[in-house]
Amino acid sequence: MKILMVCLGNICRSPMADGLLRQKVANLNLDVAVDSAGTANYHVGAAPDKRMIQTGSQNGTPIDFLRARQFTRQDFHDFDYILVMDHANYRNVCALAPDENAKAKVQLLLNYLPEENIEEVPDPYYGTAADFQFVYDLLDRATASFISQLQKQTN
Ligand code: 4NP
C-alpha cells in the first residue's frame, strides 16, 4: 500500500502528515509506504518549515529529513491513496487526474475524522506556534484514524 499526503507548499502540513503516518506504520510494522508532495512548485527541494520541524520534534515526530517536491500525474499511478489537506488541494489534484479511477484515489484527509466539525487542515504558514501545534494534533488524530480504517479493510 502506498499513501501520498498533499498540501500547497509541501513544507508545513503534508510533511507533518507524512512524518506522523510514517512513524505510525513503522511502530505497527505495516507494509505501507508514505510520501508527500505540494500542488505548487515554490519550495521544491526545501526542507520543511523550521516551525513545523520544531513542533514535530517537540512532540516526538522528526521531519527534518524530508524534502519538498511537486505533485505530478505520475503520482496517480504510484499511490493507492492521495490524501489532501484542503478543498483547494482537492481541486488542483483532481484537475490533473487522467480518469475517474485516479480521481477516486483523492480524498480529504479530515474525512477520516467525521465526528470532528472540520473539513480542512488550516494552513499554519502565516500563523503562530499555537497554530502549528493545532495542526500537529489534528494530523496526529487523522493519521491514527486513517491507519485504523486501513487495518480494518486489510484484515
Ligand atoms: P503548506 O503551507 O501548504 O502546509 O506547506 C504553505 C507553505 C508555503 C506557502 C503556502 C502554504 N507559500 O505560499 O509559500
Side-chain angles (χ1 to χ4, degrees), residues 10-29:
N10 193 210
I11 57 166
C12 295
R13 294 165 293 174
S14 63
M16 196 67 254
D18 176 341
L20 280 159
L21 191 63
R22 267 177 213 239
Q23 190 176 48
K24 288 174 168 63
V25 301
N27 288 341
L28 293 165
N29 250 317

Side-chain angles (χ1 to χ4, degrees), residues 7-15 42-43 89 122-126:
C7 65
L8 175 61
N10 193 210
I11 57 166
C12 295
R13 294 165 293 174
S14 63
Y42 322 133
H43 299 283
N89 304 151
D123 186 349
Y125 193 63
Y126 296 104

Side-chain angles (χ1 to χ4, degrees), residues 92-103:
N92 290 329
V93 169
C94 286
L96 297 172
D99 54 36
E100 286 303 311
N101 183 44
K103 196 177 163 191

Side-chain angles (χ1 to χ4, degrees), residues 9 23 27-28 56 71 77 81 90 97 101 110 114 127 139 153:
Q23 190 176 48
N27 288 341
L28 293 165
F71 181 84
H77 298 284
Y81 286 86
Y90 185 85
N101 183 44
L110 295 190
L139 293 174
Q153 275 172 32

Side-chain angles (χ1 to χ4, degrees), residues 7 30 38 74 94 97 118 139 151:
C7 65
L30 301 178
Q74 180 65 33
C94 286
I118 177 167
L139 293 174
Q151 285 183 296

Side-chain angles (χ1 to χ4, degrees), residues 43-115:
H43 299 283
V44 169
D49 186 285
K50 284 194 170 56
R51 299 163 295 173
M52 199 74 258
I53 290 177
Q54 191 184 0
T55 305
S57 125
Q58 282 166 356
N59 290 273
T61 313
I63 55 167
D64 54 306
F65 58 93
L66 296 173
R67 293 296 176 269
R69 72 172 180 87
Q70 189 172 21
F71 181 84
T72 71
R73 276 196 170 80
Q74 180 65 33
D75 290 317
F76 288 110
H77 298 284
D78 294 344
F79 291 91
D80 302 293
Y81 286 86
I82 298 169
L83 302 175
V84 301
M85 301 299 129
D86 63 32
H87 292 295
N89 304 151
Y90 185 85
R91 283 192 299 276
N92 290 329
V93 169
C94 286
L96 297 172
D99 54 36
E100 286 303 311
N101 183 44
K103 196 177 163 191
K105 295 182 176 184
V106 189
Q107 298 175 37
L108 285 167
L109 174 62
L110 295 190
N111 282 352
Y112 288 89
L113 292 179
E115 68 288 356

